[in-house]
Amino acid sequence: MQGWSEDRKALALLLGVSALLLLFGLGWREVWGPEVRWADISLQMLQSGDYFDPYLRGAPYYDKPLLSYWLITAPASLFGLNHWTLRLSTVLAGLGSIWLTWWLGERLLRKGTGILAGWLLATTFYFLFWARVATADMLTVFGVLAALAWYWRDPEDTRFRSYLGFFLILSLTSLCKGLIGFVLPGLVLLPHLLCEGRWRRHLNLRLLAALVVAAAAYAIPFVLSHFYGQPSYGESGLALVFRENVVRFFQPFDHEGPIYTYLLYLPAYTLPWAPLWILGLWYAARRWKQLEPNARWLVWALVLLFAFFTASGGRRSYYVLPLVPFAQLLAAWWVVEWRHERGLVGLGRGWPRAVGAGAVLMLLVVGVAYPWSNGGGGIPLFAKEVRAAAEQTAPWSQWRVLILGDDDARLPIYLQKHGERQAHPFLYVHSDYPQGDSAALFAWLRQRTGEDWDPARTLIISQVTHEGEKPLSWLTADHRLIESRLNNGQRLGHAKNKEASLAYLPMGKPLSANATPGATEPGKAAD
């Protein structure tokens, strides 16, 4: 690094350690929680070749725009759908958010604020946690910060290309999660635009023209869905955008947390550094009239975002994620200002040691402990065992998969190695199927689908939702039962297998070792 300035070396170290925290152990943890939706929808897109009609567990699901799925299917089409391609876009958004937090801090506040804010963000537990989970939330955080960085390049720039770049960033952000990608940057920039009447300078036809072009860009995926999607799909993407963003804000139909939700979750989501931004808020309030304009803007940004999310009727813990970079910027600003008031130069030795210890702790938690807790059992091992058992009878390409009831949506992801295309898509049947006799079940299936279902080549999946209850136990008369096992974390916590997945395989004659290339011997799992 000879010839590099100290600032560039510090940034390189920050981004290098951040990449390690975001990537280490990323492929070891099984698909979890909300990312199951992104994984299942992306898998069905890859298998069907239909990238305009999102399906979740076989049913239309256009609750989110398409871009976040496309950011998964793009690398997955080259390298297969796996933990890495599933989470890559989120990891890059997390790394980009750390870089943009550094940039905003160094650009707007006292020297040293950006690098400290970047370290605080990179060692914030919940930021790291969600930056390693495949959802659209971290993409939104990155998009908001990118829009702000574009604006702060030159707040007085009134050229068409400047407006167009800003609004295109908003459009792309909104295509990941919803209209919040337009609302949040506008809300955050409102205090600066109102101050000294800056908004008048930007009220021109060039801004309007750029907004029209960006709106047209935003509409492209919805137009493609309308013209190239399946006529029978039945859901309107734009209608669901309105329902998910506007209706939910004023008349919430789910996620109705109490009004004090974010008073609890904002401190929790900024641990272990939450006391710093709280002290920074108190420090800023006491010296409000003496604050520099940019510091005052930062406080306004945090307060307005908090008020907006609190005013929304739909509240969930991770909705608070867009506030986290602003909170850590405020925390870093307070530390730097406090030291400056006392005539101290730089950050001293204490803060590098503190964030270094935080980085080691986060690496052990998110990179080692969490992945280990998922090992030794769970859905990935269950899927491997089920597929290996099925391939002892026939090649996987000859099997059809029937999923009865509300089974865990993670299973199809692991049954299909790397998102390979399935000759017959999985069939999901949630209710109203006959019980008590497999012959009646297959007769019903043929009548319902109009297709011939071979009982000897049909794998049936279900789930136990209560200890000891197996709703399809009658299938064991002519099927072999395979049950998922507890993982390391569940065994450590002495959990019981109350929500196990179950696979019923027909009792067919196993293949000989030479019948199919790559076939496994009975009782042995495939690699």
Side-chain angles (χ1 to χ4, degrees), residues 34-102:
E35 71 178 341
V36 175
R37 282 181 289 163
W38 273 261
D40 190 53
I41 290 170
S42 300
L43 175 66
Q44 293 188 59
M45 285 182 172
L46 290 165
Q47 290 181 340
S48 67
D50 179 1
Y51 296 92
F52 302 116
D53 299 318
Y55 287 88
L56 177 63
R57 298 177 70 242
Y61 190 88
Y62 214 139
D63 288 33
K64 298 291 184 291
L66 297 174
L67 184 57
S68 62
Y69 308 126
W70 291 350
L71 291 174
I72 295 171
T73 56
S77 63
L78 298 175
F79 305 106
L81 183 65
N82 53 53
H83 290 163
W84 292 95
T85 54
L86 177 66
R87 296 162 177 158
L88 179 63
S89 58
T90 302
V91 167
L92 293 177
L95 188 62
S97 298
I98 294 169
W99 171 65
L100 289 170
T101 300
W102 165 84

Side-chain angles (χ1 to χ4, degrees), residues 220-284:
I220 288 174
F222 300 102
V223 173
L224 291 174
S225 291
H226 178 74
F227 285 103
Y228 296 101
Q230 299 176 11
S232 60
Y233 183 70
E235 285 197 349
S236 167
L238 284 175
L240 284 170
V241 164
F242 181 81
R243 178 178 181 268
E244 288 286 311
N245 293 266
V246 180
V247 174
R248 174 179 278 168
F249 188 94
F250 296 102
Q251 298 177 355
F253 44 84
D254 58 5
H255 314 326
E256 298 181 55
I259 196 168
Y260 55 81
T261 294
Y262 301 121
L263 282 173
L264 302 177
Y265 283 119
L266 181 56
Y269 267 61
T270 49
L271 289 173
W273 312 113
L276 299 181
W277 69 261
I278 295 173
L279 287 170
L281 196 61
W282 173 79
Y283 180 91

Side-chain angles (χ1 to χ4, degrees), residues 43 47 81 387 396 401 411-423 426:
L43 175 66
Q47 290 181 340
L81 183 65
R387 179 156 174 161
W396 182 251
V401 179
L411 186 57
I413 302 158
Y414 293 107
L415 281 175
Q416 299 304 107
K417 294 179 180 178
H418 310 301
E420 62 191 349
R421 184 163 293 188
Q422 180 80 358
F426 294 175

Side-chain angles (χ1 to χ4, degrees), residues 387-389 391-392 511-513 516 518-527:
R387 179 156 174 161
E391 289 178 332
Q392 292 173 10
L511 293 174
S512 65
T516 302
T520 57
E521 297 179 14
K524 292 187 179 180
D527 292 335

Side-chain angles (χ1 to χ4, degrees), residues 109-111 113 283 287 291-292 295 330-343:
L109 303 167
R110 196 181 298 276
K111 181 177 173 59
T113 304
Y283 180 91
R287 294 165 174 78
L291 291 185
E292 294 182 356
L330 184 60
W333 169 81
W334 173 75
V335 171
V336 172
E337 290 298 314
W338 184 87
R339 291 182 60 83
H340 180 75
E341 276 191 356
R342 285 154 180 76

Side-chain angles (χ1 to χ4, degrees), residues 45 85 191 212 221 227 250 257 267 315 331 343 374 409 448 453-454 500 527:
M45 285 182 172
T85 54
V212 170
F227 285 103
F250 296 102
R315 304 181 185 97
N374 282 179
R448 182 181 187 271
W453 284 74
D454 182 0
D527 292 335

Side-chain angles (χ1 to χ4, degrees), residues 144-197:
V144 170
L145 293 174
L148 297 181
W150 185 274
Y151 173 83
W152 282 110
R153 288 163 52 253
D154 184 1
E156 305 301 324
D157 191 349
T158 61
R159 292 174 295 176
F160 172 77
R161 66 182 183 183
S162 179
Y163 291 136
L164 182 60
F166 178 77
F167 286 125
L168 284 176
I169 293 173
L170 301 192
S171 293
L172 291 174
T173 305
S174 299
L175 284 173
C176 291
K177 188 173 175 69
L179 295 179
I180 196 172
F182 267 96
V183 174
L184 296 188
L187 185 67
V188 168
L189 292 175
L190 187 61
H192 191 260
L193 291 170
L194 292 177
C195 184
E196 300 178 5

